[in-house]
């Protein structure tokens, strides 16, 4: 017989309600994972509850994003034409009819196989009306401190897109880290993934260094296409402990 069963009925009920409340509280805001430095952690890096970014763990679906992720804007208003959402290592949006064209390798030692996907049909970085953009908030930062953020980007396409057309590949994956108050970018990075036309469905690991301007900062993700007017899909994977403070000497 467990502890709750041994307690009087009223007290046992109170305990159950307390445990249920705790589980809901934890689900709303996961705390950063605390663990000892791993073998691949460099001497000037430290891990711990100093900063946190929500990973790309979520249920696959078109226009469905992981917790704490959101669509940033879409000037054209054509959400159905330039959707964003969550995909798997096997299929676009997790749709059985939209398997990737060619193998899309998983990542070693990752806690989930879900990725955030954005859509684009422009090769011009300024044409926000022809792409979707998603983002999240980096939390628990120390203003003035420097951080390394590690993530993976890829370009993969299904045999046909939902409209029955042949998709293109991504040219650039665009990453911006911004002030949440002013929207001013601390830095914007454009990662050329054009080589994926020769080696498709390959993950590219990237680490960016940024300085925190406040306790929170925005992280935005979008992409451009190799071929203007042709739909392309860019994918982002963020795992656990993706961000770590860097000591600047």
């Amino acid at each position: 017989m467990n502890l709750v069963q041994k307690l009087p009925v009223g007290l046992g009920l109170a305990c159950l309600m307390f445990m249920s409340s705790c589980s809901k509280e934890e689900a709303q805001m996961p705390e950063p994972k605390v663990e000892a430095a791993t073998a691949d952690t460099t001497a000037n890096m430290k891990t711990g509850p100093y900063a946190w970014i929500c990973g790309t763990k979520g249920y696959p679906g078109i226009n469905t994003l992981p917790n704490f992720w959101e669509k940033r804007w879409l000037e054209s208003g054509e959400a159905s034409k330039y959707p964003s959402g969550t995909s798997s290592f096997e299929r676009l949006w997790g749709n059985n009819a939209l398997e990737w064209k060619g193998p899309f390798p998983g990542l070693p030692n990752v806690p989930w196989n879900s990725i955030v996907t954005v859509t684009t049909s422009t090769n011009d970085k300024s044409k926000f009306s022809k792409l979707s953009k998603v983002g999240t908030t980096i939390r628990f930062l120390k203003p003035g401190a420097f951080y390394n953020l590690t993530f993976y980007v890829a370009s993969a396409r299904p045999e046909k897109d939902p409209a029955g057309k042949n998709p293109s590949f991504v040219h650039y994956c665009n990453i911006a880290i911004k002030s949440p108050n002013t929207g001013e970018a601390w830095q914007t990075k454009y990662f050329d993934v054009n080589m994926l036309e020769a080696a498709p469905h390959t993950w590219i690991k990237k680490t960016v260094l940024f300085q925190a301007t406040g306790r929170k900062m925005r992280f935005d993700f979008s992409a451009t296409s190799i071929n203007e007017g042709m739909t392309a899909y860019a994918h982002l994977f963020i795992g656990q402990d993706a961000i770590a403070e860097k000591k600047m000497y």
Side-chain angles (χ1 to χ4, degrees):
M1 183 178 293
N2 60 37
L3 178 60
V4 174
Q5 289 175 318
K6 290 181 179 180
L7 293 173
V9 173
L11 184 56
L13 180 60
C15 289
L16 289 173
M17 293 176 65
F18 174 76
M19 287 187 289
S20 175
S21 174
C22 288
S23 63
K24 292 179 181 178
E25 188 90 17
E26 291 168 359
Q28 293 175 355
M29 176 58 70
E31 289 297 321
K33 183 181 177 182
V34 182
E35 62 180 23
T38 57
D40 61 352
T41 303
T42 57
N44 65 339
M45 300 293 293
K46 57 184 179 180
T47 59
Y50 305 103
W52 177 77
I53 183 171
C54 186
T56 54
K57 181 180 181 180
Y59 294 106
I62 188 169
N63 294 319
T64 299
L65 292 169
N67 287 336
F68 305 106
W69 286 79
E70 62 184 4
K71 181 172 287 189
R72 288 304 191 199
W73 73 73
L74 189 63
E75 292 183 357
S76 70
E78 297 181 85
S80 60
K81 191 172 182 179
Y82 304 107
S84 58
T86 306
S87 300
S88 69
F89 289 156
E90 293 79 29
R91 300 171 182 87
L92 174 66
W93 319 129
N95 188 327
N96 290 335
L98 298 175
E99 291 188 359
W100 303 120
K101 183 179 180 180
F104 192 178
L107 292 165
N109 303 316
V110 299
W112 48 76
N113 72 343
S114 54
I115 53 182
V116 168
T117 297
V118 293
T119 309
T120 179
S121 68
T122 181
N123 57 18
D124 186 340
K125 302 182 188 74
S126 66
K127 291 184 179 178
F128 297 118
S129 61
K130 291 187 176 182
L131 57 82
S132 59
K133 177 182 288 189
V134 298
T136 188
T137 301
I138 306 171
R139 305 169 188 269
F140 312 122
L141 296 167
K142 293 191 293 187
F146 286 84
Y147 295 88
N148 270 341
L149 175 61
T150 300
F151 52 88
Y152 296 80
V153 292
S155 179
R157 58 182 183 175
E159 184 71 34
K160 299 284 185 179
D161 68 14
K165 298 179 180 179
N166 293 318
S168 179
F169 282 109
V170 166
H171 189 185
Y172 287 100
C173 285
N174 312 321
I175 300 294
I177 299 175
K178 304 179 178 182
S179 164
N181 299 320
T182 64
E184 181 180 355
W186 192 89
Q187 67 173 348
T188 301
K189 297 285 187 179
Y190 301 102
F191 299 116
D192 189 345
V193 293
N194 193 16
M195 65 179 180
L196 295 179
E197 189 170 21
H201 306 167
T202 302
W203 284 111
I204 300 176
K205 184 179 181 179
K206 293 291 182 180
T207 299
V208 295
L209 175 68
F210 71 95
Q211 185 179 25
T213 59
R215 293 283 294 168
K216 298 179 181 180
M217 294 190 75
R218 283 175 47 177
F219 174 89
D220 290 347
F221 175 63
S222 61
T224 60
S225 176
I226 290 176
N227 300 302
E228 180 71 26
M230 289 188 67
T231 300
Y233 302 95
H235 315 288
L236 172 74
F237 176 89
I238 296 180
Q240 292 176 312
D241 304 317
I243 186 169
E245 185 179 351
K246 182 178 177 67
K247 293 182 179 179
M248 305 298 289
Y249 296 101

